[in-house]
Amino acid sequence: MDGQTFFDALILGIVEGLTEFIPVSSTGHILLLGHFLGFESTGKTFEVLIQLGAILAILTVYSARLWKIAAALPSDQNARRFVIGILLAFLPAAVIGVMAHGFIKEVLFESPALICSTLLIGGIILLWIDRLDLKPRYTNVMDYPLWLCFVIGVFQCLAMVPGVSRSGSTIAGSLLLGTDKRSAAEFSFFLAMPTMVGAFTYDLYKNRNVLSVDDAAIITVGFIASFIAGVFVVRGLLDFVSRHGFAPFAYWRIFVGLAGFAGLYLVG
């Protein structure tokens, strides 16, 4: 395993951590960047397994909040409803992810042009939603009704297509269903935990017989980089969204989508 591969893994891990929790598609970014870097991972496992770093980042930042919710479960109905809501929101992606795993990894992950298209289209949609004069009815994730949680989970399934963005689809769906921007982003944080743990566990299980020591080494590099970058994003994102909305991310998606198409045209 050469030094260039480790350097590529480091860069891709940083990009994963920086983009996982913002609505720009971390998977789309690392697949597209990996394409231009010439980075190849066994069974496309690197791109999924380094998400563990981002998972630990959000668990670290939200540890006190998570502990408070867990401690309140026996006596607090709102806490129990919130946990059930997160599980309901996770359910659609769990079912579709298992059923479509092979198609996602073997077909969708191998199409840079598709990723550029979804980045571009998603950016335009996110910009449109950000400019709508929506009237929020739900401003606290602890008060989200169960039906709302489930429908947000259905929106999350759109992110099975790389470039759509897990956080982007859940946030866009939340806003259209009546939430405010800050709580939409926060619910996306909480929903990321079971979703990403599930994706990590299932992908590791499916590829357990093909991963090598070299694979483990570059995944570790990407994981550490993803964790460090993810901590910074999680700590600052909610305040940023409260001040600026989602338009900056929409413009970034459009820029990356267009730059990706230009790169594909020039270098293939």
Side-chain angles (χ1 to χ4, degrees), residues 2 55 73 84 86 91 118-119 124 132 143 158 194 206 212 247:
D2 57 30
I55 298 169
L73 283 175
I84 294 171
I86 292 295
L91 185 61
T118 51
L119 284 170
I124 295 171
L132 290 176
D143 297 330
L158 297 173
K206 294 290 286 186
S212 66

Side-chain angles (χ1 to χ4, degrees), residues 67-212:
W67 177 252
K68 182 178 179 180
I69 292 172
L73 283 175
S75 59
D76 190 333
Q77 182 178 354
N78 286 340
R80 291 195 295 271
R81 184 184 63 215
F82 173 72
V83 172
I84 294 171
I86 292 295
L87 294 176
L88 280 175
F90 164 65
L91 185 61
V95 173
I96 295 177
V98 171
M99 293 176 60
H101 180 268
F103 178 75
I104 294 168
K105 295 291 290 291
E106 296 168 15
V107 178
L108 300 183
F109 271 35
E110 299 292 344
S111 179
L114 172 65
I115 295 170
C116 293
S117 299
T118 51
L119 284 170
L120 183 59
I121 295 169
I124 295 171
I125 293 173
L126 188 61
L127 188 61
W128 168 68
I129 292 175
D130 192 65
R131 291 180 174 180
L132 290 176
D133 185 23
L134 300 171
K135 305 300 182 184
R137 302 191 304 277
Y138 309 103
T139 59
N140 186 339
V141 294
M142 300 298 293
D143 297 330
Y144 279 16
L146 295 181
W147 71 263
L148 175 62
C149 298
F150 180 77
V151 179
I152 292 172
V154 174
F155 271 95
Q156 180 177 236
C157 295
L158 297 173
M160 300 293 178
V161 181
V164 170
S165 171
R166 187 203 58 78
S167 59
S169 58
T170 56
I171 288 170
S174 298
L175 294 176
L176 291 173
L177 292 166
T179 73
D180 71 320
K181 294 176 181 178
R182 185 182 181 93
S183 70
E186 188 172 35
F187 189 83
S188 179
F189 282 172
F190 282 108
L191 182 53
M193 298 178 199
T195 301
M196 293 164 65
V197 168
F200 172 90
T201 304
Y202 188 69
D203 204 74
L204 183 61
Y205 168 75
K206 294 290 286 186
N207 292 280
R208 65 193 185 282
N209 295 323
V210 298
L211 293 175
S212 66

